[in-house]
Every structure is written in C-alpha cells, then in structure tokens.
Amino acid sequence: MNSFSGQRRLTVAVLTALALATSATACGSGLGGTGTKAADSGTYTIWDPYPQFAEDSAWTKLLDSCGSKAGVKIKRTAFDTSDLSNKVLLAAQQDNSPDVLIVDNPVVPTLAEAGVLTTTDDNKLDTSKVDPNLLGAGQTGGKTYGTPIGVNTLALYYNKDVLEIAGVDIASVKDWASLTAALAKVKKAGKKGITFSAIGTEEGSFQFLPWFWGSGAKLTRLDSSQGVSALSLWTDWLKKGHAPNSVINNTQTTSWQEFASGDYAFAENGTWQLANAEKAGFDYGVLPVPGADGGTAAAPTGGEFVTVPVQSDTGRYTTTRKLVSCLTGAANLYTTDTTLSYMAPTSEVRDKQLAAEPTFKPWAEAVKAAKGRTSGDLGTKYPKISEQMWKAIQSALSGAKSPKDALAAAQSAVNQP
C-alpha cells in the first residue's frame, strides 16, 4: 500500500483493534491541549504518550533542542496511550495529523494498515542500526513504519535473601525444570515461590508470552504441544503452591506489590520496576526468563515507535526526518533512553548503557532475545490472538478447562472469521 496516497480505511474494526492492542505498560492520564497543528509552518507538532513529563522535564527540553537544531519550534501534546490512538485516527480523517507521532508499538501495524503512517522507504528514516528483532514490531506487509525509540521487556526479579534461606544457587536456574526445582526448595523452606500477572487482559498475554515463546510455540498455533506445555507449567505451579491463586487477577502492579513484600523468591516483571526494586529494602537480582530447555526465552517488547504520519503537505517530511533522526540517532539515543528509562534498540547504545550501569546486563540479554507481539507479519491479527490467549490462561488457571482444552478452544475462536 502506498502510504502517501492519503487513503484512510478508518473503520470501527480498526478502532476496536486499536483498543485491544494497547500496551500492557500504558502511561497515566494525559495533559491538556488540542494537539492541533499550528498554522505557522515553522512549528512542528509532536504527539507522545508520556503525560508524566511536564513542560520543564528533560524530555520536553530534549524535544525543544531537536526542534532548535532543525530550525523550527515544537508544539508537543501528551496523551494517555489509549486516548492517543483514537486521537490519531480522528486527526487523520481531518488531514490534521501531527508531524511526529510516538506510539505504542503494537498499534503501529494497525495505523499502518489504516493508511495513517508513511513507510521508512518513503520518509527515508535510517533504521539500519536497529536490532532486527526489535524493528519487527513496526513492520507489516513487508514495509517498515517508523523506528523504536527504546525498549522495555520482561525478566525475572529474584530475592537473594529468600533464595539463600532456601539453599538455591541462582546459577543453577537455567531452564524450566531447574526453576521449578528451585520453587520447590523455596516452598519447603517456608517461603513463597513466584508471582506474575495472569489477568484477563493484554497484561496476562504479555506476561505469558516469554513462557509460550520459550516453549518453541508460535502465535499462529496456540494449541500446539509446545503452547500446551507452557500453560501447563503455569497451571502446575498453582496446583503445587509455587505460585499464588492471586495471579489470576494480578496486574503487573499488584504482582510487583506481592514481590515487594519480601516473601517471594521470584517475580516476573519489567524494566519499569527498577526504581521500585531499589526501594524494596532487600537485595535483589535479575534473571532473563529461561527457555524450556535453557537459553533466554524471547520476551515481548514494550515501548514506543517514532513514526511519521501522512501529510498532505509532503514538503514537511524533510524537517520531520531531521526531528526523528535527532531523537533516535546515535548521538542522542543514549540521552533519550536514559530520560525515558528504556533500554536502547541498538547494540551500539546499549553497550554505552552497560558501560555506565553494568547491572543492566540481564536486561540487555533479555532485549537481545525479545521480539514484538505483532512481529512475523501478524499485524492486526495479534489483538484477536491475544484476547483468546488470555481467555485460555484464565480458563486453565481457574480449573475450568485443562490447558490443552483451553488452548484448543482459543485456537478455534481465532480461526473463526
């Protein structure tokens, strides 16, 4: 599809897909402002999902700096993640899209297929240094739409004190069998095993994916034997008391609160909890989620893509490219991702992050193995698959169905037109 054609197939189905594709790590409520493009051609509009950053924040100063270097003024508007998606669709209908749109990565294929975004072939953004596994979240139909501004993902936090009491050497935890053996030791020592989020929303699917992918399963076949083994792992943990029944309703926030109590050995959570981990009051470590037979499982990527929406005035793209390159180029990406508390999407800048903070090594390993939820050209198919996945998780963990039957029902629903 030629994204410069202005064709916009903005249907109710697209709106529904956008609602389902909202990230598991969405930000809070938005700031005021209409986000309308200024009439002054020397002013460029940027919409982002970071309402937590005020006008005097380092993030806003970075945007203004990039504007100054490009010789233009920046009009920035921040929205809640879910509000941003809908605002973009409405703006596209009115030919009033922002010049730069920073949007949650699972939404990119949906906006692209709706004709809202330009491709990197058209806008000439350089994505050559971005890790291919991370760039995949912004690809659909063989085209790339934008570039990741940074990445967050999942790993296992562990409480060193609890593991010491249980006599568990964290170096022994290399696969599912050794992790389960460690959980058994923790339970025998009178402590609690592992907590995670299995809630019936995108958060539940997000947290299940490392185990699903770590089994060798693919999202195109939910009910494969590998997928069943992943759901059986979680189900068995609940049955054996290695994980609490509360995981069925846990969000990532409430799951973290359980871990922060100091009683749990492990918690699956993301990079965004690092500041809270420092305040937890106990010594902790981080371990990439292990694959079924060892190695690092692919975890889903959170974080946003910087995209260039379609403009009727195509002359704006040259300056827009300068703005995006300023934010995501090697010279500024370290500052950008430090400001946003993300791991960088390029190995060059991640190496710089690791040099400054060696404790980031497990996160760098997790990011290297990670992949986008819509990767593999799933695009707009992902929201339907994810919904059936979280329903299957709920069904199996509650005991309503066996893991095999739950995933078989999920695949059957996905196959329905």
Side-chain angles (χ1 to χ4, degrees), residues 57-70:
S57 67
W59 169 245
T60 302
K61 291 176 182 177
L62 178 60
L63 295 180
D64 289 339
S65 173
C66 286
S68 295
K69 290 176 181 176

Side-chain angles (χ1 to χ4, degrees), residues 119-136:
T119 72
T120 53
D121 287 339
D122 290 330
N123 59 44
K124 307 305 179 186
L125 288 180
D126 181 9
T127 61
S128 61
K129 292 187 177 180
V130 179
D131 291 5
N133 62 313
L134 305 179
L135 192 61

Side-chain angles (χ1 to χ4, degrees), residues 156-163 170-171 256 259 264-267 282-288 362:
L156 297 180
Y157 287 85
Y158 59 88
N159 185 321
K160 293 183 179 180
D161 296 335
V162 171
L163 293 185
I170 193 61
W256 179 262
F259 180 67
Y264 283 85
F266 296 93
F282 53 80
D283 201 5
Y284 76 93
V286 178
L287 177 75

